Amino acid sequence: MMRRCLLILFLLFVFKATSQIGGRYTYQFLNLVSSPHQSALGGKYVTGFNADPSSALQNPATINELMDNQLAVNYVNYIADVNYGSVAYAKSFGAKNLMLHAGVTYINYGTFSGFDEVGNPTSDFGANEAAISFGYAYRIPNSDFYTGANLKFISSKLEQYTSIGGALDVGFMYHNETSKFDVGLAIRNAGTQFTTYDSVREDLPLAVDLGFAKTLENVPIRWNFTLENLQTWDIAFNNPNRDITDLEGNIDRDDPGFINNALRHVVLGLEFFPENNFTIRAGYNFRRSEELKIIDQRSFAGLSAGLSLKLGKFKFAYSYARYNNAAASSTFGINVNLL
């Protein structure tokens, strides 16, 4: 059975390995981060081996016994009238305490004014998308290695156009309780559309992320280092606003080099007091900084921060992510211990 799963995963990855990012696929909401924990650490966090069931939405291999009967509800006040969020829950079943996970991710794009082809107003319309996932993780016997998978059913409605699809997430995790060192690998959104919007089949936003994390000894700090979008190496692009024109009219085109492109795959995060009831978090996303910063202005694009507070069976979390001077997002979350 395991060999068959690995073979299916390999074939899916080969077929999708040429997938690009940034507007060339459908169901883009699948890669939005709705957890304040993940958002505060720069937007990518695949090493969350903890009691937060939201972590399994990013890496199903993180499903573990600490999540048993834990419920997480998250909400994001995004740009303009866009709102999205997630709900996640995990539960153990049977004599072997099998851990199963379920989650819902949704996005509402707000209300739009409709116009016909000559500009006459018509009726208003909306757009929304949702994904329901079911996950399971398995610990390899006598080891610190875990593997897991999420099966997702996706529904999308954009004005009168609708689409239904399915996707598979596969995750791998190394979690050493003694050294407090974690390594996580997540391959997400390998799937297809079952029905298309208008007879045109589109690719799903495949994402491959690799993360490393460690809690320092005798110091209440946990660092996170994540490499995102590994399915596509060249994610840098020319920005015409950064072209330089000399006095003779010669144009020196913006051309991001190897180092610039490599850094755009990097996301950094720090957690202070990670094992206490009160935690402070901060992150930096290099790609977000490079793509959204404004020339000759200090916008602090790419920075994010947040905190969490545990009170009894409730854990409250908040994060703030900076995009530029005109845009930022706040993420709110609450985890409830239902035991």
Side-chain angles (χ1 to χ4, degrees):
M1 183 64 183
M2 181 62 68
R3 291 182 179 179
R4 292 182 180 179
C5 292
L6 291 175
L7 177 59
I8 293 173
L9 171 63
F10 174 77
L11 292 175
L12 287 171
F13 182 73
V14 169
F15 293 148
K16 296 290 185 176
T18 58
S19 297
Q20 301 296 311
I21 59 177
R24 299 187 180 183
Y25 45 79
T26 189
Y27 308 147
Q28 300 185 37
F29 79 102
L30 294 174
N31 281 334
L32 291 175
V33 178
S34 61
S35 162
H37 190 167
Q38 298 160 355
S39 176
L41 295 176
K44 286 294 177 69
Y45 180 53
V46 295
T47 53
F49 199 91
N50 48 45
D52 183 3
S54 298
S55 300
L57 296 175
Q58 291 291 312
N59 185 354
T62 62
I63 300 173
N64 65 88
E65 62 275 6
L66 297 176
M67 296 181 182
D68 183 30
N69 226 14
Q70 302 293 312
L71 173 68
V73 180
N74 305 297
Y75 168 76
V76 183
N77 180 16
Y78 205 44
I79 300 170
D81 292 330
V82 179
N83 296 278
Y84 68 93
S86 65
V87 178
Y89 176 75
K91 177 66 177 175
S92 64
F93 290 91
K96 295 184 179 180
N97 294 323
L98 300 177
M99 286 299 303
L100 301 179
H101 179 276
V104 176
T105 303
Y106 73 92
I107 184 169
N108 188 313
Y109 296 101
T111 302
F112 300 86
S113 299
F115 297 88
D116 62 19
E117 61 273 11
V118 295
N120 297 317
T122 59
S123 59
D124 294 344
F125 64 93
N128 53 77
E129 299 177 287
I132 301 175
S133 66
F134 300 94
Y136 170 73
Y138 173 76
R139 181 176 184 176
I140 299 175
N142 303 316
S143 75
D144 294 322
F145 292 91
Y146 300 76
T147 183
N150 282 334
L151 184 62
K152 296 189 288 193
F153 300 92
I154 307 159
S155 174
S156 175
K157 182 177 182 181
L158 308 176
E159 209 247 349
Q160 81 270 25
Y161 300 97
T162 60
S163 175
I164 297 175
L168 176 69
D169 299 342
V170 177
F172 302 92
M173 186 82 189
Y174 170 79
H175 173 70
N176 190 297
E177 189 67 32
T178 302
S179 65
K180 298 186 182 299
F181 178 67
D182 297 322
V183 180
L185 173 66
I187 304 171
R188 304 175 59 249
N189 308 325
T192 186
Q193 289 179 293
F194 299 145
T195 63
T196 63
Y197 295 105
D198 192 25
S199 302
V200 177
R201 190 166 300 279
E202 302 172 83
D203 290 334
L204 271 64
L206 181 76
V208 180
D209 304 315
L210 175 65
F212 306 86
K214 181 175 175 57
T215 302
L216 304 181
E217 294 185 16
N218 304 318
V219 181
I221 293 178
R222 177 179 172 85
W223 58 259
N224 299 274
F225 178 87
T226 304
L227 297 172
E228 65 169 349
N229 293 313
L230 295 181
Q231 78 284 354
T232 304
W233 163 247
D234 190 4
I235 60 176
F237 58 88
N238 170 267
N239 186 345
N241 292 322
R242 300 181 188 179
D243 294 344
I244 300 175
T245 304
D246 61 22
L247 296 177
E248 298 179 356
N250 299 315
I251 300 177
D252 183 13
R253 303 289 183 184
D254 175 58
D255 184 19
F258 176 86
I259 299 299
N260 184 288
N261 185 71
L263 285 175
R264 296 191 190 205
H265 290 274
V266 176
V267 179
L268 301 178
L270 280 178
E271 296 183 82
F272 302 91
F273 316 107
E275 298 178 352
N276 292 353
N277 291 334
F278 178 71
T279 304
I280 300 174
R281 305 181 177 103
Y284 186 73
N285 189 307
F286 282 89
R287 177 169 172 250
R288 186 185 298 166
S289 174
E290 281 295 313
E291 294 183 358
L292 299 179
K293 70 181 181 181
I294 301 175
I295 305 301
D296 298 327
Q297 291 188 26
R298 182 174 295 178
S299 63
F300 299 100
L303 289 174
S304 57
L307 53 84
S308 66
L309 176 64
K310 185 178 181 181
L311 298 173
K313 292 189 175 184
F314 297 88
K315 188 174 184 179
F316 304 90
Y318 169 79
S319 70
Y320 177 86
R322 184 73 170 177
Y323 302 126
N324 53 48
N325 289 334
S329 69
S330 293
T331 306
F332 305 86
I334 179 172
N335 287 21
V336 184
N337 184 352
L338 300 179
L339 291 174

